[in-house]
Amino acid sequence: MIPLWILAAVLTVILLFAAVIVLASSRENNKLVIEKYEIQSSKIPEAFDGFRIVFLTDLHCHEFGEDNEKLIEMVKECRPQMILAGGDMLISREEKSTEVPLKLMKQLAEKYPVYYADGNHELRLMRNEEIFGVKYKEYIHELKEYGVWHMSNETVILEQEGQFIHLTAMDLEPEFYHKFRIPEMKQEDMELAVGKAVRGRFQILLAHNPNYFRTYARWGADLVLAGHFHGGMVRIPKADRGVISPQFQLFPKYDAGEFHAPDGGSTMIVSRGLGNHSIKIRLFNKPEISCITLRRRRE
């Protein structure tokens, strides 16, 4: 039988270790950083050469300073010409208010064009009115009142000096957010949801879950912007790998950063996101504002 003093010592060490993790994570959750990306493509028109985009995702009602003033100031540093919100800006619980993301979107829309795509949390509100009532409809109504362009399985044509690029947002079906498994997504699934991509135009795709990058690339996305994985919660510093995804994948392939399709025709940026919800742990995994510059590649 193990002596009580040894059990007490082990328990004390475990509790101290847990306390250190919680304290370190609490600090990390507020160490907001800017990550810069440059996307080069011959399909980017001259008028969009140097076009700057800020991509924000997975806020989950978190605040960086009062009314997110720190976040807004850091967005300003990027000098964006457009803001793209990639979903999960709120938390899909009955008791959680949507005040924080709404106030942030309102302030951003006063300064920039803002396009907002849904993540799994927004879609959970939409698909479960028996639980959440009209909370989703009220949320979307407020976004539109503030001048935010809410996108749901649609494509917007962006114009600069008579030249164009396409922006598409895709709502993923619930099956593509299953825990413990990754069901197959076919190109036909995408086309049923958002139609076919126009191959001659530079195509940006907002798709919250990065697991399906190969399908997004085959569909015709030149640039995919995703989140959902929160950087893998805990990152291994030297390997720069995330440990676990919200779907309980260990060491997910598309955890954070920039990824390229095998043929080089498509790039995906996976943001580490801004907040978290159920398990509020971040280690070696700072919250991220993604600042993206489009560059025309000359052949």
Side-chain angles (χ1 to χ4, degrees):
M1 183 174 180
I2 301 174
L4 286 177
W5 70 269
I6 294 179
L7 291 175
V10 170
L11 181 59
T12 300
V13 170
I14 291 172
L15 290 174
L16 285 173
F17 181 72
V20 169
I21 294 285
V22 170
L23 180 61
S25 183
S26 177
R27 291 179 176 175
E28 187 106 337
N29 278 326
N30 292 294
K31 289 184 177 179
L32 183 62
V33 297
I34 293 172
E35 297 288 358
K36 294 184 178 180
Y37 303 90
E38 184 171 286
I39 304 300
Q40 297 188 21
S41 171
S42 58
K43 292 171 68 176
I44 295 172
E46 287 283 356
F48 283 88
D49 187 19
F51 191 83
R52 294 179 301 277
I53 299 167
V54 160
F55 176 54
L56 305 174
T57 188
D58 298 280
L59 180 70
H60 290 299
C61 298
H62 191 69
E63 287 187 276
F64 297 91
E66 185 177 355
D67 292 337
N68 266 309
E69 60 185 356
K70 181 181 177 183
L71 172 57
I72 292 167
E73 280 302 307
M74 291 180 72
V75 166
K76 185 178 178 181
E77 289 179 31
C78 296
R79 298 181 294 115
Q81 291 159 275
M82 177 173 67
I83 308 285
L84 299 180
D88 280 12
M89 305 303 278
L90 47 74
I91 298 176
S92 56
R93 292 182 187 150
E94 291 178 87
E95 74 278 6
K96 290 299 291 187
S97 169
T98 57
E99 180 181 357
V100 169
L102 283 174
K103 189 173 289 186
L104 174 62
M105 291 297 108
K106 181 177 186 294
Q107 292 180 88
L108 291 174
E110 288 170 353
K111 300 178 176 68
Y112 315 101
V114 179
Y115 296 85
Y116 188 119
D118 288 338
N120 53 299
H121 278 254
E122 288 91 352
L123 293 173
R124 191 177 298 136
L125 292 185
M126 181 189 74
R127 291 165 176 157
N128 294 278
E129 284 196 2
E130 71 281 5
I131 299 173
F132 301 108
V134 295
K135 191 173 185 177
Y136 176 82
K137 291 177 180 176
E138 291 174 345
Y139 181 71
I140 300 306
H141 175 76
E142 288 296 310
L143 288 177
K144 292 179 178 179
E145 285 290 302
Y146 298 149
V148 174
W149 190 310
H150 175 254
M151 299 181 66
S152 176
N153 284 337
E154 65 180 294
T155 296
V156 173
I157 300 175
L158 305 174
E159 186 267 342
Q160 287 257 104
E161 300 174 15
Q163 296 182 318
F164 308 93
I165 62 176
H166 285 196
L167 171 65
T168 298
M170 180 181 177
D171 296 342
L172 275 70
E173 293 298 318
E175 64 186 283
F176 298 118
Y177 290 110
H178 271 308
K179 300 288 191 292
F180 302 107
R181 65 186 180 89
I182 307 172
E184 181 186 5
M185 180 191 290
K186 299 177 181 178
Q187 185 176 332
E188 291 81 2
D189 296 325
M190 284 197 66
E191 292 177 352
L192 283 173
V194 297
K196 293 186 177 183
V198 177
R199 297 285 173 168
R201 294 253 175 96
F202 185 78
Q203 173 72 64
I204 301 173
L205 175 69
L206 294 170
H208 189 65
N209 189 336
N211 271 330
Y212 303 100
F213 179 38
R214 289 188 176 184
T215 304
Y216 304 151
R218 287 196 300 269
W219 172 77
D222 298 294
L223 172 61
V224 180
L225 301 179
H228 187 48
F229 282 7
H230 302 177
M233 293 174 59
V234 175
R235 297 189 67 76
I236 302 171
K238 287 187 177 181
D240 195 27
R241 289 290 305 275
V243 172
I244 191 168
S245 80
Q247 292 169 261
F248 300 109
Q249 302 160 245
L250 288 174
F251 305 106
K253 181 177 181 179
Y254 304 120
D255 53 354
E258 187 172 327
F259 301 89
H260 300 275
D263 65 359
S266 183
T267 299
M268 179 169 68
I269 293 171
V270 183
S271 170
R272 297 189 301 272
L274 296 163
N276 41 43
H277 51 100
S278 301
I279 303 173
K280 297 182 179 294
I281 292 177
R282 277 183 182 267
L283 288 176
F284 310 108
N285 181 27
K286 295 179 178 64
E288 170 183 340
I289 295 172
S290 307
C291 293
I292 302 160
T293 303
L294 305 183
R295 294 290 182 193
R296 178 174 175 79
R297 185 173 64 231
R298 280 133 180 107
E299 300 295 349

